[in-house]
Amino acid sequence: MTRAAAAPRPTDDGRWRALVSGAGRAGRWIVAHDWAGTPLGPLQDWPQSLRTALVICLHSPTPAAIWWGPELVLLPNDGYLALPGPAGPQVPGRPGAAAWPDAVPALTGVLTAAEVTCRQERDVGSGGERRRLVFSSAPIVDATGRPGGVFTTVTEVVTPADRATDVDGPAAARRPDTAGTGIPAARRTGRRTPDPQVPHPHGGERRRALRQAEGLARLAGSLSAAGSREAVTEVVTTVTPALVGAAGVRVAVATAGALDLTVTGGSGPGRLAVADDAPLARAVREETTVALPDGLCLPLRDGGGAVLGALEVRWAGPVADEEARRILLDAVAGLCSQALRRAELTASARAMAAFAARLSVTRSTGEAIEVILDAAPMALGAALPGLAMRDEGRRIRLWHGGLPTGLIATFDDLTVDDPRPIARALRTGERIILRNRAEFAARHPGLPDPAGAYGMVTTVVLPLLDASRRPIAALGFGWPRERPLHDDDLALLDTIADLCEQTLERVRLAAAEHNLVTRLAGRLRTSAAIGPPGLEVATRYQPAMSGLHLGGDWYDLVDLDDGRLAVVVGDVVGHQVEAAADMAQLRTVVNTLIRSGVPLAEVFPRLTGLLGVGFLGTCLAMVVDPVAGEAQVARVGHPHPVLLPSGRPPETVWTGHSLPLGLVRDPVPVTTVAFGPGDLLVAYTDGLVERRDQAYDAGVTALHEVLVPVRDQPVEAIADTLLAKLSGSDDDQALVVIRHVG
């Protein structure tokens, strides 16, 4: 079963095509050309970064060109085409290897980010004055933050003839021919090179054009380094005023599907409702340019036409609506839109990483559902999350993250055959996207719309599938304002569904394995707390939660004569079936040796003699004598037991050193401690106190601290408290608590 794909989103690029075709011969040729069979693909599929750069290039008053993609496809403006040489109508659309082969290595360096920029020069002209053409190239950053192409501008420096560079000298060897022009070298051919017909804006017009080109380059460079929405808006509000000669610039950012705008710049409010009558809000809400007496508000759109926010530019007084100014503002808005979309994708990636990290540490279905309801909507900026899963019979149970009481009540009687979207997704495995409530009404005529009644406009339901691709749950959420969903957003939805599915399947398997391990452990370990009169005993075994960890930890209780009790706690290295098999064998042999009356000091050397050294682990053996009021302790590499004397603080029972279990050949030291009425003894495996993020001694200290407040409680309650308070281990845990009751 696969998720149903959403309908393709229509793209409105009429404004962009008009800007391109109105930019002279080159622009008209680009719009009229069939690009389907070229490396750039159909015109309607060109990315926003290329579209923005192309508008800037074509309307530039100076010669400029774009080299796009790995093939460095050439897209020049009219000024570039007017450069002398064979450049002509057939040059646009040619790969760099055909248009300007000598420049390909340098341009490729910029495209691959090996070089930040590149500069090439060429001298032309003769007589008393020569002109030097300077080709400056910089990367065009796409929505992913990587260079998608190269932007080249051509400027001219006038130098005296006696200072002109000899084009046949070493400098010429370092400079490629003019891009796509094949300008001849006068001294190489002996002929006079005609003056290139480069447009020569005069006076202030030329200086203004150069300043604008430099300003756009600075804006593009600064935006390429801005990694967040806050950084993008700060760059725009700081750099744009000087670029467009404005008195002030403000940027409103519209979080997808949210009802408020975040406004940066100027002295106005930092938050603005989309429904407000302010120009910034109108530009976002109406998705159109709003004219002001002293400025303009332009919507900021992503590559698919969805509005990301708005740009407000105000001058000191009324200004004429000049085409050149509108083109410049469109270029600024395009750069800002591209940077905001890139920042949005970066933020989504970070949110997804945080979501995946939180899911990875969940250990139960309940924990996983809690994280899904909290973090999945956060990664999407969504609200009112709910998770539906099958309950008994045909009923559906709904988990939710803070849904209103009235909305929860509408799902009380939900069953698998209910026509509502969340039940349908759980029943069929279909991904359901309702972009607005009119779409809901059209697809579900006559059906109540509780999500719409509680302010949701766009709603989504994601089916969560198991390993066999059968639906096991459905996750629903929505946005209070219509949210267009791009291909990137749909991919994000699929990623969220995949992460949720993997986590729910993992914790389900872990729970099943944990139940299996617990049942098997009961067959391998003493199940009842036995003991002579005068002692209360509680035993616990808790397997590790990750994987089929039928571990090597064990405990054993052996009744001896004269009212004594032998207590054994051990740990064999490993967490697989082999470790469990070793544990069962060791437990049986140790039990037999103790029942046979072998002294504690001799038990572990005898064990090595009987079984050899084919295993490794630790073990603690104690003989508790309530009549004599003492306990004998022998330990081989195992954690020291804890003694809690009546009315005194807990203390560690220190014993002599010994090699670990499996390596012991000599008698081990035996320590005798007083154990009278009211005293407690606690023996445990290292899984109870060892943690990856803390020192071992800190875990032992925590054990002592947990014991003190519960010392007077029944031993069963003490054992439960220790496991609950000292939880979080990746290892299995065995525990024995003994009280002398007199």
Side-chain angles (χ1 to χ4, degrees):
M1 187 174 296
T2 58
R3 300 188 182 92
R9 183 185 65 259
T11 301
D12 180 12
D13 60 355
R15 168 67 174 163
W16 177 77
R17 288 175 182 263
L19 286 171
V20 172
S21 60
R25 179 165 56 96
R28 291 191 296 273
W29 185 89
I30 288 172
V31 171
H33 186 64
D34 181 9
W35 296 93
T38 72
L40 298 187
L43 195 68
Q44 63 268 22
D45 294 339
W46 286 12
Q48 182 63 38
S49 50
L50 173 56
R51 290 171 171 240
T52 301
L54 189 60
V55 170
I56 298 172
C57 171
L58 293 176
H59 287 275
S60 174
T62 59
I66 291 172
W67 310 85
W68 191 260
E71 297 84 1
L72 295 169
V73 176
L74 176 61
L75 299 171
N77 68 1
D78 285 354
Y80 194 96
L81 289 173
L83 294 172
Q90 297 181 2
V91 171
R94 297 173 66 189
W100 190 11
D102 292 341
V104 168
L107 295 173
T108 301
V110 177
L111 183 65
T112 59
E115 299 288 342
V116 178
T117 60
C118 71
R119 175 187 172 95
Q120 295 135 329
E121 300 180 6
R122 188 66 181 170
D123 289 342
V124 297
S126 60
E129 186 178 89
R130 296 175 66 85
R131 288 189 292 274
R132 176 176 299 168
L133 297 182
V134 179
F135 298 82
S136 301
S137 300
I140 302 170
V141 180
D142 63 17
T144 66
R146 296 186 296 268
V150 179
F151 195 107
T152 297
T153 58
V154 185
T155 56
E156 180 184 330
V157 179
V158 179
T159 59
D162 58 354
R163 296 181 58 188
T165 303
D166 186 344
V167 296
D168 291 327
R174 295 193 299 269
R175 301 170 187 155
D177 285 343
T178 299
T181 64
I183 296 177
R187 295 190 182 182
R188 186 182 304 135
T189 62
R191 294 175 295 167
R192 182 181 183 276
T193 302
D195 291 344
Q197 298 178 13
V198 182
H200 293 285
H202 296 285
E205 182 182 350
R206 173 173 178 168
R207 287 193 297 271
R208 184 180 68 173
L210 291 175
R211 282 198 303 271
Q212 288 179 353
E214 292 171 356
L216 284 172
R218 283 197 304 272
L219 179 61
S222 299
L223 288 175
S224 68
S228 66
R229 293 193 321 181
E230 294 75 14
V232 169
T233 55
E234 181 179 359
V235 168
V236 173
T237 55
T238 302
V239 178
T240 304
L243 172 60
V244 300
V249 170
R250 293 200 300 165
V251 178
V253 177
T255 301
L259 295 175
D260 292 334
L261 305 173
T262 302
V263 182
T264 304
S267 57
R271 304 289 296 181
L272 190 64
V274 176
D276 198 284
D277 196 44
L280 278 171
R282 287 178 53 203
V284 171
R285 185 175 64 252
E286 299 171 8
E287 302 185 9
T288 187
T289 299
V290 177
L292 307 172
D294 58 348
L296 287 173
C297 269
L298 296 86
L300 302 175
R301 304 176 186 273
D302 62 19
V307 175
L308 300 169
L311 173 69
E312 180 185 88
V313 181
R314 291 181 181 266
W315 286 271
V319 294
D321 186 10
E322 300 175 355
E323 181 67 15
R325 180 177 287 109
R326 288 294 300 274
I327 291 171
L328 180 61
L329 290 177
D330 282 338
V332 172
L335 291 172
C336 182
S337 300
Q338 178 185 336
L340 284 175
R341 180 58 176 163
R342 186 169 63 248
E344 184 180 85
L345 294 175
T346 300
S348 294
R350 290 173 179 164
M352 288 301 301
F355 178 44
R358 291 184 62 184
L359 285 176
S360 68
V361 297
T362 56
R363 291 187 160 202
S364 67
T365 300
E367 288 182 7
I369 290 174
E370 183 179 350
V371 171
I372 289 170
L373 291 174
D374 178 55
M378 189 181 303
L380 295 163
L384 300 188
L387 183 77
M389 299 182 74
R390 289 178 181 265
D391 203 355
E392 297 179 359
R394 299 185 60 78
R395 294 185 62 81
I396 292 176
R397 181 179 177 184
L398 183 71
W399 282 265
H400 59 88
L403 292 181
T405 304
L407 183 56
I408 298 172
T410 64
F411 293 99
D412 285 344
D413 58 346
L414 202 60
T415 60
V416 293
D417 53 358
D418 195 290
R420 282 174 284 187
I422 198 164
R424 179 176 176 179
L426 180 59
R427 183 174 64 252
T428 66
E430 174 189 359
R431 183 179 67 191
I432 300 174
I433 296 176
L434 299 169
R435 302 184 189 280
N436 50 56
R437 304 336 290 166
E439 192 168 320
F440 176 90
R443 293 181 62 176
H444 305 283
L447 190 67
D449 183 10
Y454 281 87
M456 293 297 98
V457 175
T458 298
T459 51
V460 171
V461 182
L462 301 178
L464 306 182
L465 314 178
D466 63 13
S468 301
R469 311 313 292 163
R470 295 186 298 255
I472 56 173
L475 175 63
F477 42 80
W479 293 268
R481 186 167 63 88
E482 184 168 348
R483 170 168 181 168
L485 292 168
H486 305 285
D487 293 338
D488 292 335
D489 298 316
L490 298 179
L492 189 62
L493 292 177
D494 284 341
T495 301
I496 286 176
D498 290 341
L499 288 172
C500 295
E501 291 167 354
Q502 294 167 18
T503 301
L504 290 175
E505 184 73 1
R506 174 178 59 78
V507 297
R508 183 189 67 81
L509 291 174
E513 291 168 354
H514 185 262
N515 291 335
L516 173 62
V517 167
T518 302
R519 291 197 301 270
L520 291 175
R523 299 297 182 93
L524 295 173
R525 297 166 178 86
T526 304
S527 57
I530 59 176
L535 296 179
E536 288 182 350
V537 183
T539 58
R540 294 290 185 274
Y541 172 73
Q542 182 165 287
M545 280 298 296
S546 56
L548 186 55
H549 280 189
L550 183 56
D553 288 19
W554 89 91
Y555 62 82
D556 198 4
L557 304 178
V558 183
D559 269 329
L560 302 176
D561 55 8
D562 300 327
R564 295 175 302 153
L565 177 69
V567 178
V568 181
V569 180
D571 182 2
V572 179
V573 173
H575 285 294
Q576 301 301 327
V577 175
E578 292 82 0
D582 287 343
M583 176 271 292
Q585 186 179 27
L586 289 169
R587 175 180 175 274
T588 300
V589 174
V590 172
N591 184 295
T592 302
L593 290 171
I594 291 176
R595 288 183 183 277
S596 301
V598 174
L600 280 185
E602 298 290 340
V603 168
F604 299 116
R606 294 273 192 97
L607 180 70
T608 305
L610 290 170
L611 299 181
V613 293
F615 55 89
L616 185 65
T618 68
C619 193
L620 169 75
M622 301 190 299
V623 174
V624 181
D625 188 344
V627 177
E630 65 179 23
Q632 293 180 315
V633 182
R635 186 185 63 88
V636 284
H638 200 80
H640 297 273
V642 175
L643 174 64
L644 187 58
S646 178
R648 299 206 305 270
E651 57 189 55
T652 298
V653 178
W654 299 103
T655 67
H657 294 291
S658 176
L659 292 172
L661 190 67
L663 301 178
V664 182
R665 297 188 181 278
D666 299 320
V668 301
V670 176
T671 300
T672 301
V673 296
F675 187 62
D679 293 351
L680 278 173
L681 264 174
V682 179
Y684 56 92
T685 55
D686 57 8
L688 190 68
V689 295
E690 256 187 347
R691 302 292 182 272
R692 294 181 180 180
D693 57 349
Q694 70 178 17
Y696 179 84
D697 289 345
V700 175
T701 299
L703 170 61
H704 289 195
E705 293 172 348
V706 172
L707 273 173
V708 172
V710 298
R711 62 190 306 159
D712 296 326
Q713 295 184 12
V715 290
E716 296 288 343
I718 294 174
D720 289 338
T721 300
L722 288 174
L723 289 181
K725 296 288 187 180
L726 301 174
S727 62
S729 174
D730 293 330
D731 200 359
D732 48 349
Q733 305 162 21
L735 170 67
V736 178
V737 180
I738 309 169
R739 170 178 281 135
H740 192 312
V741 294

